[in-house]
Every structure is written in C-alpha cells, then in structure tokens.
Amino acid sequence: MQKQYNKAKAYGTKNSFTKAEQMVLGYDSKKTASYHLQNAMVNEEVAQKRNIMNTDYAAMKKSRSTMNSDKASYNKAKSSASKKANSILGNKKFRLTASQKKALQVGEMVDTTGITDPTLLSQINAYNSNVSTRKKAYSHYKISRDAYNTAQQTSQESTTAYVQAKAEAPITKLNNTKDWYDAKVSTLETNKSKVEAENSLKQSQGYDLSNEDYLKQINANKQIEYQKKAERDVLQKQ
C-alpha cells in the first residue's frame, strides 16, 4: 500500500494515465512485461490517429465554411462591379474615352483624369470602389480556398492513416500475442532439453532415474503444453 502511495505521489493517480502508461508505471505489474502492454500501445496508437482524423476533419469543415463565405462575398462584389460597369457603359449621355470603356469592359479600375461630368465622376468612383472591394474579396477567397485545399488533403491523409492503422491493429496484436507465447514456449523447450540431457547423461553413467528425475521431465512437458493451450485460448478470443 505504501508503494502505491509513493507512486501516486510521484506520478499522479492511476486514472491520470492511459492503459499502456499504467502498465509501464507498474499499476498493472502482472501485464507489464507481456503482450498486453504492446497491444495496449497499439490500441492507443489507433485511438490517437482517430483523434487526429476527427480534429483534421473538423478543421476541414471550418475552412470549407470560411471559403464558401468568402466565395459568396467575392461573387457579390463581382456582380456589383459588373452591374455598375454595364450601367455606365449603357448610359448614352456619358462621354468615355476608349481606355475608360476598355477598363469597364474588362473589370479594371478606371482612370478618372479629365472627367468633368460630376454625375459620371460619381458613377466611376462608385464603380472603382466596387472593383477595389471585389479585388479584396477575391484575395480573401483565394487565401481561404488554398487553406481549404490544404485542410482537405490533410484530412484525407489522416483518415487514410486511421483506416490503415485500424485495419492493421488486429494483425499486429495477434502477432504480438503469438510472439510472446512462442518466446515462452521456446524457453520451456530449452529447459525441457536440458532436463532430458541431464537424464540421458545420468543413465549413460549407469545410474537409474529417480522419481524426481521423471517428474522434472513430466513437468517440463506439461508446462509446454500449458503454454501452448494458453496461447490457443488467447488467440481464439482475439
């Protein structure tokens, strides 16, 4: 109990950590050195990728909303400038130079030099203001469109990463479990070989095997079978 208290004092309460972190810190010491820790880390990696995917998707939706808003503002400004230009070009009373007409036709700023008609000057100034507003709106739209394209690509990449991690996780966890049990069995088989070698040496020297010798060999076989059965049971549940 004292050991648990010191650990909590040094690191925090058990619930402050993920499952894998709890194992590393020894809150679940029976599973710390086993495949449980590896598989918990796999689960947390998948969860982390899912969180990243959700965050990126939310950012993409927000940037798309901003882009659509900026696009609407740009289209509105563009329409206002176009209507004002057509209104000026369609008024037969206005005297326009060739360059002024061309600027109105292509949607560019009009040079007001030499305009003496106050009504025309007022209309041209209003048009130029619309063009300025349109250009600023387009600049904002272009920035938000680029931001959306980047956010969309990032969202697609994080979604792909999550889907791939989720698909690979069961296989990785299965391999982690199998590798851990195989290592245990390999160790037990080495011990079994050692017992058999000792018994063979004893018999080659003319000694009879004792009950204890036979029990060692029997237990070595039982431990191997036990581990193999445990592996089969665990793998069937995964």
Side-chain angles (χ1 to χ4, degrees):
M1 193 69 178
Q2 182 63 34
K3 182 178 180 181
Q4 181 72 17
Y5 169 78
N6 290 338
K7 186 188 304 175
K9 185 177 181 181
Y11 300 109
T13 62
K14 178 178 180 180
N15 293 333
S16 301
F17 305 99
T18 65
K19 187 173 181 180
E21 289 171 337
Q22 290 175 22
M23 293 179 186
V24 171
L25 293 174
Y27 284 110
D28 196 353
S29 57
K30 291 183 179 179
K31 297 181 178 180
T32 299
S34 74
Y35 62 90
H36 291 279
L37 174 57
Q38 291 175 300
N39 290 351
M41 292 175 69
V42 171
N43 289 337
E44 287 177 17
E45 182 179 0
V46 173
Q48 184 182 38
K49 288 185 183 296
R50 183 181 63 244
N51 291 337
I52 292 173
M53 177 190 68
N54 290 338
T55 299
D56 288 345
Y57 180 71
M60 184 272 291
K61 286 182 64 179
K62 184 176 180 180
S63 66
R64 181 174 60 194
S65 177
T66 300
M67 178 193 69
N68 288 338
S69 177
D70 289 344
K71 183 179 181 180
S73 296
Y74 165 63
N75 287 334
K76 182 179 180 181
K78 182 181 179 181
S79 177
S80 296
S82 179
K83 287 180 180 179
K84 180 60 70 175
N86 290 333
S87 175
I88 296 171
L89 288 169
N91 194 323
K92 302 300 183 180
K93 296 181 180 180
F94 293 151
R95 301 295 180 182
L96 299 166
T97 65
S99 62
Q100 289 171 339
K101 287 182 179 180
K102 184 176 181 181
L104 287 165
Q105 290 168 348
V106 298
E108 292 299 327
M109 300 286 282
V110 175
D111 184 3
T112 59
T113 303
I115 297 178
T116 57
D117 183 344
T119 302
L120 176 58
L121 181 61
S122 175
Q123 291 295 305
I124 292 296
N125 284 336
Y127 164 77
N128 284 343
S129 177
N130 287 342
V131 171
S132 178
T133 300
R134 186 203 69 204
K135 288 185 176 183
K136 288 180 181 178
Y138 178 73
S139 179
H140 290 157
Y141 166 56
K142 186 176 183 298
I143 291 172
S144 61
R145 184 183 62 191
D146 291 344
Y148 168 69
N149 289 336
T150 299
Q152 185 180 41
Q153 181 177 352
T154 300
S155 178
Q156 289 173 343
E157 290 173 352
S158 60
T159 298
T160 299
Y162 166 67
V163 171
Q164 182 176 348
K166 184 179 180 182
E168 292 176 351
I171 299 172
T172 301
K173 291 191 289 185
L174 194 69
N175 288 337
N176 287 341
T177 304
K178 191 174 185 304
D179 290 346
W180 188 82
Y181 274 105
D182 286 349
K184 295 281 287 185
V185 170
S186 178
T187 300
L188 292 174
E189 286 178 341
T190 299
N191 181 62
K192 174 188 173 183
S193 296
K194 182 180 178 181
V195 171
E196 290 175 344
E198 289 175 350
N199 287 346
S200 295
L201 177 62
K202 191 173 183 179
Q203 287 178 316
S204 68
Q205 293 174 341
Y207 296 102
D208 292 330
L209 296 181
S210 65
N211 289 339
E212 184 179 355
D213 294 327
Y214 284 116
L215 284 175
K216 283 182 180 180
Q217 192 163 337
I218 292 171
N219 287 335
N221 288 325
K222 284 184 176 180
Q223 287 176 353
I224 292 173
E225 290 306 313
Y226 172 80
Q227 286 297 334
K228 287 183 176 180
K229 183 180 182 304
E231 178 180 0
R232 289 194 298 270
D233 292 344
V234 171
L235 292 178
Q236 286 175 357
K237 294 178 182 178
Q238 290 191 347

